[in-house]
Amino acid sequence: MKRSDSRKLLVVNAAYWLVAMLIHPVLHLLPTASGRPAKIFELLVPLFFIFLAAGSTYLLKTALGKTRDG
C-alpha cells in the first residue's frame, strides 16, 4: 500500500470515530417536548456505534488486504 493510501485510510478511519464520539453529545442537545433526550436515542445511538465500528473494521480489513503492488 502506498503511503498516500495509508494516510487516506487513517483520515477516513479517524473521521468514522470522530462522528462516533460526537453523535452522543449532539443527540442529547436536541430539544424535546419533555426536556429530556428521546428514549429512542437509547436504542439508536448504540446501533449507530455498531454500524460505525463495522464500517471502520471493513475499511481497515479491505485496506490491509491490498498488496503493495495493488
Side-chain angles (χ1 to χ4, degrees):
M1 182 182 306
K2 296 177 186 174
R3 186 172 178 87
S4 63
D5 291 339
S6 297
R7 183 160 294 163
K8 287 178 191 175
L9 173 70
L10 290 175
V11 167
V12 171
N13 193 38
Y16 269 94
W17 290 109
L18 180 66
V19 169
M21 287 186 298
L22 293 176
I23 196 72
H24 192 262
V26 168
L27 288 179
H28 280 278
L29 291 175
L30 294 176
T32 59
S34 67
R36 296 185 351 212
K39 289 188 179 199
I40 191 72
F41 292 160
E42 294 174 13
L43 173 67
L44 291 180
V45 170
L47 285 177
F48 192 67
F49 286 163
I50 290 169
F51 288 132
L52 283 172
S56 175
T57 303
Y58 174 77
L59 180 74
L60 286 173
K61 181 184 75 109
T62 302
L64 291 175
K66 292 182 179 181
T67 63
R68 225 176 236 285
D69 300 330

